[in-house]
Amino acid sequence: MERVPAVRRRRLGEELRRLRDLAGLTSGEAARLAGWHQSKVSRIETGRSSVRPEDVDVLLSVYAVRDGDLRDLLATLAGRGYQRGWWHDFRDVLPPEYRDFITLETGASRARSMENSVVPGLLQTPAYARALTRDVMPQLTEREVDALVDVRIARQAVLRQDRPLELWAVLDESVLRRWVGGPEVMAEQLLRLREAMELPQVRLQVLPFAAGGHQGVTNSFVIFSFPRIADLDVVVVDHLTSSLYVDRKEDIAAYGAAFARLSGRALHREESAEMINSIRKEVS
């Protein structure tokens, strides 16, 4: 069974606790109606232990939640649909943290991304992804590089599914000017960005050097939002060797405000497209 990110377990627990409160039940009363010990409800609500989708269904029935979409969403947060995720085939080369990221990305309805160094994975070409992987992790074997590139490209399916992920990305100008893989690779990658800008589910802006210092300089980050429940937003902050998962409401609000400021300082769509075209001509 594929692991469910701890951050998702905590947010699921918070939502289940909210629904229990709406039902006017104590945790002990909910446990009795479900036929469980009270400690099980407490562990679920605090995210301290994994919860099966079937257990979520039991609690939602106890709380008289009849909204089918909401029931499906919460069961998905508990792991329904993760058990046979496509990334399971790559588990030998993917660290648990990266698998957590993919499960968040796969279940999200919207992603707001601030990138200060490289093209977002969802918009990378295979050649760019391969060159970047080799540069960042030179210790990997060719087989491992191939696998990670395959994963990077497979992730991009979220932009083409029936209900595609809405991607809003702000790219620092340095992303466009850093020659990953050489001029031919970069020319192809910049063309890919221009093509992506034509997709209705993709909003792309460039934050030019002229904007000066900004909050995205120190770390790139992604804010994932999920359908129907705004309080399930999660922020993932990139570090050199790991990622930090942020789910406290006040922190999420701070990152949301930062992204709004960054997008406000970035070029509009037409100006961003012009800059991408101009830089592509320079490298071609």
Side-chain angles (χ1 to χ4, degrees):
M1 178 176 178
E2 193 73 23
R3 61 183 256 137
V4 177
V7 67
R8 293 290 290 274
R9 293 201 307 269
R10 290 195 298 270
R11 305 315 293 273
L12 171 62
E14 291 174 1
E15 181 63 14
L16 289 172
R17 184 168 62 249
R18 185 186 71 84
L19 292 171
R20 174 174 60 75
D21 289 340
L22 286 176
L25 297 173
T26 66
S27 60
E29 291 169 337
R32 179 177 55 80
L33 291 171
W36 302 339
H37 192 279
Q38 181 178 357
S39 62
K40 180 172 181 176
V41 174
S42 297
R43 289 195 304 272
I44 289 173
E45 291 186 348
T46 57
R48 292 199 307 269
S49 63
S50 297
V51 54
R52 298 179 305 165
E54 294 79 7
D55 291 339
V56 171
D57 287 337
V58 169
L59 287 177
L60 294 179
S61 295
V62 168
Y63 305 154
V65 176
R66 297 182 177 83
D67 185 326
D69 290 340
L70 179 58
R71 293 180 70 106
D72 287 344
L73 172 61
L74 296 181
T76 298
L77 294 182
R80 182 176 295 166
Y82 293 164
Q83 290 88 337
R84 296 189 179 276
W86 57 264
W87 54 92
H88 186 71
D89 293 337
F90 298 92
R91 62 191 180 278
D92 59 331
V93 295
L94 294 182
E97 195 172 65
Y98 193 12
R99 297 201 302 271
D100 285 356
F101 183 90
I102 295 173
T103 60
L104 291 170
E105 185 176 72
T106 301
S109 59
R110 182 172 65 141
R112 286 167 287 169
S113 175
M114 172 63 217
E115 294 290 344
N116 62 23
S117 57
V118 299
V119 172
L122 293 180
L123 301 177
Q124 292 179 10
T125 65
Y128 182 98
R130 183 174 301 280
L132 182 63
T133 302
R134 284 173 172 163
D135 289 343
V136 174
M137 293 178 282
Q139 76 279 9
L140 297 183
T141 66
E142 195 64 23
R143 185 190 72 83
E144 290 171 328
V145 170
D146 288 343
L148 289 176
V149 172
D150 288 345
V151 168
R152 189 75 50 85
I153 302 308
R155 283 173 46 202
Q156 298 174 5
V158 296
L159 296 175
R160 302 188 299 271
Q161 58 195 11
D162 290 341
R163 293 184 178 180
L165 175 75
E166 296 179 10
L167 175 63
W168 184 357
V170 175
L171 310 184
D172 188 87
E173 185 177 342
S174 60
V175 172
L176 309 179
R177 295 194 179 277
R178 179 169 289 104
W179 282 27
V180 174
E184 291 185 5
V185 171
M186 281 306 301
E188 180 189 33
Q189 179 60 73
L190 292 169
L191 177 60
R192 171 74 178 97
L193 292 178
R194 281 292 292 112
E195 292 172 344
M197 294 180 74
E198 303 302 320
L199 298 174
Q201 66 271 33
V202 175
R203 180 175 179 179
L204 187 61
Q205 295 178 270
V206 176
L207 189 60
F209 291 147
H214 56 78
Q215 290 175 295
V217 167
T218 54
N219 292 109
S220 298
F221 62 88
V222 182
I223 306 173
F224 287 119
S225 299
F226 300 89
R228 298 178 58 84
I229 305 178
D231 286 347
L232 287 177
D233 283 8
V234 176
V235 177
V236 185
V237 183
D238 281 345
H239 294 287
L240 178 62
T241 58
S242 64
S243 294
L244 171 67
Y245 289 78
V246 178
D247 63 342
R248 291 199 316 164
K249 292 181 181 179
E250 54 268 39
D251 293 334
I252 291 171
Y255 275 98
F259 185 85
R261 287 191 292 269
L262 291 166
S263 62
R265 296 175 63 182
L267 301 176
H268 294 301
R269 181 190 179 282
E270 294 76 13
E271 296 171 314
S272 295
E274 289 176 4
M275 177 172 282
I276 292 173
N277 287 337
S278 175
I279 297 175
R280 183 169 182 268
K281 290 178 181 178
E282 294 176 14
V283 301
S284 298

